[in-house]
Amino acid sequence: QVQLVESGGGLVQAGGSLRLSCAASGRTLSSYGMGWFRQAPGKEREFVAVIGSSGRITRYADSVKGRFTISRDNAKNTLYLQMNSLKPGDTAVYYCAKSMQGWGTSRELDYDYWGQGTQVTVSS
């Protein structure tokens, strides 16, 4: 079993920054891609970013490209999401997820473990 626990969410003004963390336990995740997704009120969950097992390859949703950075520390079994220039439209619950492969995609079906989510609220 894998447990994923997100942290770092909170309330921030537009233009501000937050850094989310996702701590994994139960299994070493260095062989798997990892992703971030988010769900805004009244909307479906959407892809935010993904990182490959080695950390060298990343991919972002167009809506966050250039503002968010996904990274990982395999020694600490931890995934990160640095969020800069935040906008009210970024308000959502953010989830980390483990891919079933060494690489990750934007499809939720490719992920088998999910965290409980952390709330990010951006005020205007």
Side-chain angles (χ1 to χ4, degrees), residues 1-3 24-30 32 77 98 112-113:
Q1 280 284 15
V2 174
Q3 292 80 41
S25 61
R27 184 188 298 179
T28 299
L29 300 186
S30 58
Y32 300 96
N77 226 21
K98 169 193 162 297
D112 55 355
Y113 289 97

Coordinates of all heavy atoms in Angstrom, one line a residue, residues 1-3 24-30 32 77 98 112-113:
Q1 N 0.8 -1.2 0.0 CA 0.0 0.0 0.0 C 0.9 1.2 0.0 O 2.0 1.3 0.6 CB -0.9 0.0 1.2 CG -2.1 -0.8 1.1 CD -3.2 -0.2 0.3 OE1 -2.9 0.7 -0.5 NE2 -4.4 -0.8 0.3
V2 N 0.4 2.3 -0.6 CA 1.1 3.5 -0.7 C 0.2 4.6 -0.1 O -1.0 4.6 -0.3 CB 1.4 3.9 -2.2 CG1 1.9 5.3 -2.2 CG2 2.3 2.9 -2.8
Q3 N 0.8 5.4 0.8 CA 0.0 6.5 1.4 C 0.7 7.8 0.9 O 1.9 8.0 0.9 CB 0.1 6.5 2.9 CG -0.7 5.4 3.5 CD 0.1 4.1 3.5 OE1 1.3 4.0 3.7 NE2 -0.6 3.0 3.2
A24 N 5.3 10.6 0.5 CA 4.9 9.2 0.3 C 5.4 8.3 1.3 O 6.6 8.4 1.7 CB 5.3 8.8 -1.1
S25 N 4.7 7.3 1.6 CA 5.1 6.2 2.5 C 4.5 4.9 2.1 O 3.6 4.9 1.3 CB 4.7 6.5 4.0 OG 3.3 6.6 4.1
G26 N 5.1 3.8 2.6 CA 4.6 2.5 2.2 C 5.4 1.8 1.1 O 5.3 0.6 0.9
R27 N 6.0 2.6 0.2 CA 6.7 2.1 -0.9 C 7.6 3.2 -1.5 O 7.2 4.4 -1.5 CB 5.8 1.6 -2.0 CG 6.5 1.0 -3.2 CD 5.5 0.7 -4.3 NE 4.5 -0.2 -4.0 CZ 3.5 -0.6 -4.8 NH1 3.5 -0.2 -6.0 NH2 2.6 -1.5 -4.4
T28 N 8.8 2.8 -1.9 CA 9.6 3.8 -2.6 C 9.1 4.1 -4.0 O 8.8 3.2 -4.8 CB 11.1 3.2 -2.8 OG1 11.6 3.0 -1.4 CG2 12.0 4.2 -3.5
L29 N 8.9 5.4 -4.3 CA 8.2 5.8 -5.5 C 9.2 6.2 -6.6 O 8.8 6.8 -7.6 CB 7.2 6.9 -5.2 CG 6.1 6.5 -4.2 CD1 5.1 7.6 -4.1 CD2 5.5 5.2 -4.6
S30 N 10.5 6.0 -6.4 CA 11.5 6.5 -7.4 C 11.4 5.9 -8.8 O 11.9 6.4 -9.7 CB 12.9 6.2 -6.8 OG 13.1 4.9 -6.6
Y32 N 8.4 5.5 -10.3 CA 7.1 5.8 -10.9 C 7.0 7.3 -11.2 O 7.6 8.1 -10.5 CB 6.0 5.4 -9.9 CG 6.0 4.0 -9.6 CD1 6.6 3.5 -8.5 CD2 5.3 3.1 -10.4 CE1 6.6 2.1 -8.2 CE2 5.3 1.7 -10.1 CZ 6.0 1.2 -9.0 OH 6.0 -0.1 -8.7
N77 N 11.5 10.7 -0.9 CA 10.2 10.1 -1.3 C 9.1 11.2 -1.3 O 8.0 11.0 -0.9 CB 9.8 8.9 -0.4 CG 9.3 7.7 -1.2 OD1 9.6 7.6 -2.4 ND2 8.5 6.9 -0.5
K98 N 0.2 8.9 -7.8 CA 1.2 8.0 -8.2 C 0.8 7.3 -9.5 O -0.2 6.7 -9.6 CB 1.6 6.9 -7.2 CG 2.5 5.8 -7.7 CD 2.5 4.7 -6.8 CE 3.0 3.4 -7.4 NZ 2.2 2.9 -8.6
D112 N -2.8 5.1 -9.7 CA -3.5 4.2 -8.9 C -3.5 4.6 -7.4 O -4.3 4.0 -6.6 CB -2.8 2.8 -9.0 CG -1.3 2.8 -8.7 OD1 -0.7 3.9 -8.5 OD2 -0.7 1.7 -8.8
Y113 N -2.8 5.5 -7.0 CA -2.9 6.0 -5.6 C -3.0 7.5 -5.6 O -2.3 8.2 -6.3 CB -1.6 5.6 -4.8 CG -1.6 4.1 -4.5 CD1 -0.9 3.2 -5.3 CD2 -2.3 3.6 -3.4 CE1 -0.9 1.9 -5.0 CE2 -2.3 2.2 -3.1 CZ -1.6 1.4 -3.9 OH -1.6 0.0 -3.6

